[in-house]
Amino acid sequence: MISRGLEGDRVDSATCEADFMKHECGVFGVFGHPEAAKITYLGLYALQHRGQESAGIISCHEGRLHGHREMGLVYDVFKKDVLDNLAGDMAIGHVRYSTTGSSLLKNAQPLLVDYARGALAIAHNGNLINARVLRSDLESRGSIFQSTSDSEVIVHLIARSKKEKIESTLIDALRQVKGAYSLLVMDNENLLAVRDPCGFRPLCVGMLKGAFIVASESCAFDIVDAKYIRELEPGELLLINRSGMHSLQTGSAKAAGNGVCIFELIYFARPDSHVFGRDVDRVRHNLGAILHGEAPVEADLVIPVPDSSNAAALGYSHESGIPFEMGLIRNHYIGRTFIEPSQTIRDFGAKIKYNPVKTALKGKRVVVVDDSIVRGTTSRKIVKMIRNAGAREIHMRISSPPIAYPCFYGIDTPTRKELIASTHTLEEIRKYLRVDTLHYLSQEGLVRSAGGNPDEFCLACFSGKYPISLAVDFDKFYHDRKQSATTLKV
Ligand code: AMP
Ligand code: SF4
């Protein structure tokens, strides 16, 4: 099997520590549209929030797969000449965010390989928890890996399958992997879309003038005027080809329970998306409203930490009757900042991203609504800014429960000991943040806001109850041994 480098894809030969665990991603695919790559480009544009480090598109033209991948934002990676060269009526695309260790071009997706049955492209959102064991086994049997991405394991398993049809080889491969995957696979005739049996990550299907579209989130349909049809069911595989769309079951065992990632609804998905059968904006509104019910306070203003907390802050404001204000302004035009004049400008990282509106905050009792606290470092800096802007009281309200456990299924969280809620009590966190009061939403309130029942969701980062046993083979202390890398997009 030969992994194909793509134009613009200068593979870095430096080795890095294998990191199978941390990447947040978005996927998009098109079947049967004459401008498949351009549609995919627009879809990725709408999914940019799911990954900002690399972007890639592979299209199929006259039976041949070709594409482009690069580090950077969709807008920077795909200039007109690059897109003009990606002809064909079938394409898949991927955006990825990863931690420093694995942020290499060779891990950018979609992966593209040539193997005995032809060419194959694959775009994966989620994390496989048994990738290391599978990889060691495959390597001992002669497989040579090109990347440090867990997704490449699936490619090797497909290549080794004795089955004939692409859908059967994929099912064969998926029966061996454990973890989270919303996956797109493309050969020169078929587009396959599949969701893992626990349903961790979203994946939905739509139509655009007779063409089939698949995407991580429905906001990617809106940008191209595609019609949303439905979400893939957990464990469902859609085979799309000239004869239409066929729904198959992968038959992979569902480990313990359902794994619909509730954090997608809290923070990760775009509020204008419909995921897991819910309008994300409405869920976030409910989170804020229920949070007010659980932790009311007398105040003059409710402000969000923009943008991910806007809807929850609105919900808190509507429910409480306390006026909503944009007390913090977020700069949307920031990239990686390499200058850190830490000696002269304190809290530079947070200042580059947020600035308080002094006239709105001066002398006010302020409720600050944020969606989550991870390490607490950004929150502390934000509180300081609001205080310096003249706020009289600061009441922090968090529209999720305390994050005390890392995620192993595709959301980037730091090690357990770096999670402030895992090592500190509520009162210690309140003191650290220097707020007058601090309240987190309860787990019960969270599930109620999403309008579901606890069995439906993965709540592991709050409860420590992982839907797929990590004991399978996963080294759960890997995070802790690994050198700490900055994981927050600040
Ligand atoms: P901190 O105070 O440093 O824990 O940062 C809290 C902020 O991180 C909140 O505003 C969240 O919206 C944001 N956040 C939560 N999860 C993530 C994540 N996986 N990646 C980047 N930012 C996140
Ligand atoms: Fe989502 Fe948290 Fe479960 Fe990870 S551990 S899948 S972030 S709910």
Side-chain angles (χ1 to χ4, degrees):
M1 193 175 72
I2 303 167
S3 171
R4 248 200 269 159
L6 303 171
E7 209 184 312
D9 174 346
R10 281 180 300 279
V11 172
D12 185 343
S13 61
T15 52
C16 77
E17 186 181 8
D19 176 356
F20 299 127
M21 293 181 291
K22 296 175 164 189
H23 51 92
E24 297 163 351
C25 308
V27 297
F28 189 91
V30 180
F31 184 95
H33 194 287
E35 293 190 298
K38 286 180 182 152
I39 299 289
T40 304
Y41 165 78
L42 292 171
L44 293 183
Y45 215 105
L47 295 174
Q48 186 78 81
H49 62 290
R50 297 187 71 88
Q52 300 92 41
E53 278 195 359
S54 68
I57 297 176
I58 310 281
S59 69
C60 177
H61 182 50
E62 295 176 349
R64 285 180 54 82
L65 268 51
H66 54 159
H68 185 89
R69 291 183 301 223
E70 240 178 81
M71 303 306 286
L73 298 173
V74 176
Y75 169 85
D76 295 319
V77 169
F78 292 99
K79 297 297 183 198
K80 186 175 180 305
D81 55 326
V82 173
L83 270 178
D84 285 345
N85 281 330
L86 293 178
D89 67 357
M90 178 166 56
I92 62 171
H94 189 269
V95 285
R96 174 184 162 102
Y97 168 78
S98 63
T99 52
T100 323
S102 58
S103 137
L104 294 172
L105 186 53
K106 67 182 175 182
N107 286 334
Q109 293 195 19
L111 300 174
L112 178 59
V113 296
D114 288 310
Y115 72 129
R117 296 187 196 93
L120 197 71
I122 174 167
H124 173 204
N125 173 209
N127 277 338
L128 305 181
I129 60 164
N130 64 340
R132 290 152 160 277
V133 162
L134 289 174
R135 178 169 172 148
S136 306
D137 180 53
L138 285 161
E139 282 177 333
S140 72
R141 292 191 281 144
S143 295
I144 297 170
F145 281 75
Q146 301 286 330
S147 74
T148 60
S149 145
D150 58 346
S151 318
E152 200 184 340
V153 167
I154 300 176
V155 178
H156 283 271
L157 293 173
I158 291 174
R160 282 179 178 265
S161 170
K162 301 272 184 290
K163 299 275 172 30
E164 277 297 314
K165 293 179 175 160
I166 178 72
E167 62 273 27
S168 309
T169 60
L170 177 59
I171 289 171
D172 245 9
L174 295 178
R175 289 205 172 138
Q176 298 168 68
V177 305
K178 291 189 169 62
Y181 52 85
S182 279
L183 193 71
L184 301 183
V185 176
M186 180 175 77
D187 68 5
N188 61 3
E189 288 180 351
N190 307 281
L191 172 63
L192 299 99
V194 60
R195 208 166 148 215
D196 70 68
C198 292
F200 283 100
R201 303 277 146 239
L203 192 60
C204 48
V205 58
M207 292 215 71
L208 172 63
K209 295 182 185 147
F212 292 97
I213 313 279
V214 273
S216 295
E217 292 181 34
S218 67
C219 65
F221 294 159
D222 300 337
I223 193 172
V224 294
D225 282 336
K227 186 174 179 300
Y228 175 90
I229 300 180
R230 66 175 176 91
E231 220 153 12
L232 274 77
E233 296 295 327
E236 182 181 13
L237 187 158
L238 288 182
L239 172 67
I240 304 170
N241 52 31
R242 300 272 166 233
S243 68
M245 183 170 84
H246 314 272
S247 170
L248 310 168
Q249 290 300 314
T250 57
S252 299
K254 178 191 227 162
N258 295 313
V260 167
C261 171
I262 205 154
F263 204 63
E264 292 267 357
L265 297 172
I266 296 167
Y267 165 81
F268 201 50
R270 248 171 65 162
D272 51 337
S273 283
H274 184 78
V275 300
F276 306 142
R278 293 152 170 97
D279 289 322
V280 177
D281 174 75
R282 284 303 88 190
V283 172
R284 292 195 186 154
H285 207 276
N286 294 344
L287 292 169
I290 292 179
L291 181 59
H292 171 259
E294 291 186 358
V297 64
E298 277 202 17
D300 305 310
L301 291 180
V302 176
I303 69 163
V305 177
D307 295 316
S308 50
S309 311
N310 291 354
L314 273 168
Y316 194 100
S317 163
H318 287 179
E319 192 65 17
S320 62
I322 304 170
F324 175 93
E325 287 261 7
M326 291 303 291
L328 287 168
I329 299 302
R330 179 174 169 172
N331 184 344
H332 289 100
Y333 308 102
I334 55 173
R336 284 273 149 110
T337 317
F338 58 92
I339 312 167
E340 281 227 19
S342 48
Q343 300 305 311
T344 47
I345 305 173
R346 262 176 270 133
D347 304 332
F348 183 69
K351 274 186 181 149
I352 240 175
K353 198 165 170 185
Y354 303 105
N355 199 28
V357 182
K358 295 186 188 69
T359 42
L361 300 170
K362 195 157 191 269
K364 300 285 170 38
R365 297 169 300 167
V366 183
V367 179
V368 181
V369 177
D370 202 354
D371 55 85
S372 54
I373 299 178
V374 184
R375 290 185 171 87
T377 43
T378 310
S379 311
R380 184 175 148 114
K381 289 173 183 171
I382 286 172
V383 168
K384 194 167 156 195
M385 280 181 198
I386 297 171
R387 190 79 74 191
N388 288 344
R392 186 149 55 93
E393 290 174 16
I394 302 178
H395 304 279
M396 193 89 169
R397 295 293 179 271
I398 306 299
S399 63
S400 66
I403 300 178
Y405 301 87
C407 175
F408 298 105
Y409 309 125
I411 295 285
D412 188 19
T413 44
T415 64
R416 218 184 144 192
K417 62 176 187 289
E418 290 168 285
L419 291 168
I420 192 166
S422 129
T423 48
H424 294 75
T425 64
L426 184 69
E427 177 55 14
E428 285 168 346
I429 301 171
R430 187 194 68 73
K431 281 193 179 140
Y432 173 76
L433 299 180
R434 300 187 180 142
V435 289
D436 296 274
T437 65
L438 167 68
H439 281 280
Y440 288 89
L441 185 67
S442 68
Q443 280 186 48
E444 189 273 325
L446 168 61
V447 173
R448 197 149 49 88
S449 305
N453 67 70
D455 300 338
E456 189 183 344
F457 297 108
C458 174
L459 296 160
C461 46
F462 311 115
S463 67
K465 290 185 194 135
Y466 291 93
I468 304 181
S469 163
L470 302 174
V472 190
D473 75 353
F474 188 73
D475 179 355
K476 62 177 153 181
F477 300 111
Y478 176 70
H479 272 300
D480 293 335
R481 281 205 312 273
K482 227 178 132 222
Q483 254 201 336
S484 165
T486 304
T487 53
L488 293 181
K489 297 170 222 161
V490 176

